[in-house]
């Protein structure tokens, strides 16, 4: 049985899965028992499995990148919940940050229960010195005495951990060259993410990320956003379609974005099909509801449009655009009250 001080929970955003897999493989090669949800647990016991595996492991390693923090404000975001629970359980928390991670910029996301994250002993992982950083992780950051109580692992959580480990172990060994490409691609993605001005420079950053990592679904989605903003709708649709084909870890995003592009092209039926897919994948995705409502209104189906706006408001009560669009639809119906 693995000693408690050799147990680790790896927390990460699925956009950083290649980076997380490399960390997992390095730690397991050193004898650590790691929980690493490679394929995403889909059972109804998800909450029990995740929280119990945090409570039953001494160390909590969390991968922090600018894009990983972006959705921390969303309700039910699991990266946030994992970090908050690790803080509550007093795990030994080690944030791993990329070279371009900026704690000052991250402060707006690390609020309320996440504020303590800024006080932990973080480890920066330079692109060219990944293996050296991993050696420092095991020899220093994980080589500490833990005062917190390690809770027993229940049967369901242990079985899920075993399955997750089997899935991760079935993946090819990540080479140092692949690690360098993965981290370099992530840095190019982050540069584009930080720029966020729909410029040619931002588009070039995403293209560079794709050249380094041809299966980088998130980079295709982001490049599609820039292409759409620049008026290249066909190019945007191609990028969104490729992101979907590559099974983007946040599939609802490229479906919603492709729907936007089809809608601008005037193909409302196809746009609605994409919004339907986005909603099926993420039923609490308010943006897809309002976008589908706009498409229904453009087709003259005001009742269905209002239903979608109502759903968007129910999911996001402060969604001003949903209120405005609903008001416009009611006015079009002649309902001025």
């Amino acid at each position: 049985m693995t000693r408690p001080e050799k147990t680790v929970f790896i927390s990460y955003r699925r956009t950083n899965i290649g980076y997380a897999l490399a960390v997992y493989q390095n730690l397991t090669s050193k004898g650590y028992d790691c929980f690493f949800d490679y394929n995403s647990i889909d059972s109804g016991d998800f909450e029990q499995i995740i929280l119990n595996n945090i409570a039953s492991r001494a160390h909590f390693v969390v991968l922090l990148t600018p894009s990983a923090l972006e959705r921390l404000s969303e309700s039910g975001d699991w990266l946030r919940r994992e970090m908050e629970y690790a803080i509550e359980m007093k795990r030994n928390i080690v944030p791993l940050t990329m070279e371009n991670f900026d704690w000052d910029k991250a402060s707006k996301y690390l609020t309320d229960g996440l504020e303590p994250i800024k006080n932990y002993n973080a480890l920066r992982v330079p692109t060219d010195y990944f293996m050296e950083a991993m050696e420092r992780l095991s020899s220093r950051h994980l080589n500490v005495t833990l005062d917190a109580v390690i809770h027993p692992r229940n049967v369901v959580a242990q079985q899920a951990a075993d399955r997750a480990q089997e899935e991760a172990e079935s993946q090819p060994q990540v080479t140092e060259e692949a690690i360098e490409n993965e981290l370099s691609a992530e840095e190019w993605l982050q540069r584009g993410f930080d720029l966020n001005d729909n410029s040619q420079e931002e588009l070039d950053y995403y293209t560079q990320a794709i050249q380094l990592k041809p299966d980088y679904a998130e980079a295709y989605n982001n490049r599609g956003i820039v292409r759409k903003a620049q008026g290249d709708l066909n190019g945007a649709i191609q990028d969104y379609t490729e992101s979907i084909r590559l099974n983007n870890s946040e599939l609802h995003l490229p479906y919603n974005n492709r729907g936007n592009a089809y809608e601008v092209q005037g193909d409302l039926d196809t746009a609605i099909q994409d919004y339907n897919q986005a909603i099926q994948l993420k039923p609490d995705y308010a943006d897809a509801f309002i976008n589908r409502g706009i498409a229904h209104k453009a087709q003259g189906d005001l009742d269905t449009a209002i239903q979608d706006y109502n759903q968007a408001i129910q999911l996001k009560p402060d969604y001003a655009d949903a209120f405005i669009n609903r008001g416009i639809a009611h006015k079009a119906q002649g309902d001025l009250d």
Side-chain angles (χ1 to χ4, degrees), residues 3 98 114 246 305-306 321 334:
R3 301 193 311 274
M98 300 292 292
L114 290 184
L246 291 168
I306 289 170
D321 284 347

Side-chain angles (χ1 to χ4, degrees), residues 66-80:
S67 62
L69 298 179
E70 184 183 12
R71 294 190 302 281
L72 288 181
S73 60
E74 292 182 6
S75 61
D77 182 74
W78 265 99
L79 183 63
R80 183 181 192 96

Side-chain angles (χ1 to χ4, degrees), residues 1 7 20 59 150 226 262 272 298:
M1 183 175 180
T7 55
H59 309 289
I150 304 297
V226 178
Y262 279 128
I272 289 171

Side-chain angles (χ1 to χ4, degrees), residues 163-196:
R163 288 194 300 271
Q165 288 175 342
E166 289 174 5
E167 291 167 352
E169 293 295 340
S170 69
Q171 302 306 307
Q173 190 67 29
V174 180
T175 64
E176 288 195 45
E177 180 182 2
I179 292 170
E180 184 172 336
N181 284 346
E182 178 79 32
L183 299 184
S184 295
E186 171 70 21
E187 287 186 350
W188 285 110
L189 181 80
Q190 298 305 330
R191 288 180 186 180
F193 176 83
D194 289 340
L195 200 58
N196 192 31

Side-chain angles (χ1 to χ4, degrees), residues 201-212:
E201 185 178 14
E202 182 182 358
L203 188 146
D204 290 342
Y205 286 160
Y206 295 135
T207 298
Q208 186 67 33
I210 291 167
Q211 289 175 351
L212 287 165

Side-chain angles (χ1 to χ4, degrees), residues 66-214:
S67 62
L69 298 179
E70 184 183 12
R71 294 190 302 281
L72 288 181
S73 60
E74 292 182 6
S75 61
D77 182 74
W78 265 99
L79 183 63
R80 183 181 192 96
R81 288 201 63 190
E82 287 172 4
M83 287 193 284
E84 288 178 338
Y85 194 67
I87 293 169
E88 180 184 341
M89 290 290 99
K90 297 181 172 61
R91 302 302 92 179
N92 174 41
I93 298 175
V94 184
L96 300 184
T97 64
M98 300 292 292
E99 285 187 270
N100 61 338
F101 185 85
D102 187 325
W103 283 103
D104 289 335
K105 291 181 180 178
S107 292
K108 66 178 180 180
Y109 300 105
L110 301 175
T111 57
D112 301 326
L114 290 184
E115 286 189 9
I117 288 290
K118 294 177 284 188
N119 300 322
Y120 287 96
N121 187 18
L123 174 61
R124 187 169 290 272
V125 183
T127 302
D128 298 335
Y129 296 96
F130 177 83
M131 300 306 293
E132 289 83 352
M134 290 301 96
E135 184 60 36
R136 196 155 52 248
L137 173 64
S138 59
S139 64
R140 299 182 185 177
H141 293 260
L142 301 183
N143 188 22
V144 298
T145 301
L146 189 74
D147 296 328
V149 175
I150 304 297
H151 295 264
R153 202 167 304 152
N154 62 42
V155 174
V156 173
Q158 183 59 59
Q159 290 174 343
D162 291 341
R163 288 194 300 271
Q165 288 175 342
E166 289 174 5
E167 291 167 352
E169 293 295 340
S170 69
Q171 302 306 307
Q173 190 67 29
V174 180
T175 64
E176 288 195 45
E177 180 182 2
I179 292 170
E180 184 172 336
N181 284 346
E182 178 79 32
L183 299 184
S184 295
E186 171 70 21
E187 287 186 350
W188 285 110
L189 181 80
Q190 298 305 330
R191 288 180 186 180
F193 176 83
D194 289 340
L195 200 58
N196 192 31
D197 61 358
N198 296 321
S199 64
Q200 185 61 41
E201 185 178 14
E202 182 182 358
L203 188 146
D204 290 342
Y205 286 160
Y206 295 135
T207 298
Q208 186 67 33
I210 291 167
Q211 289 175 351
L212 287 165
K213 187 181 176 185

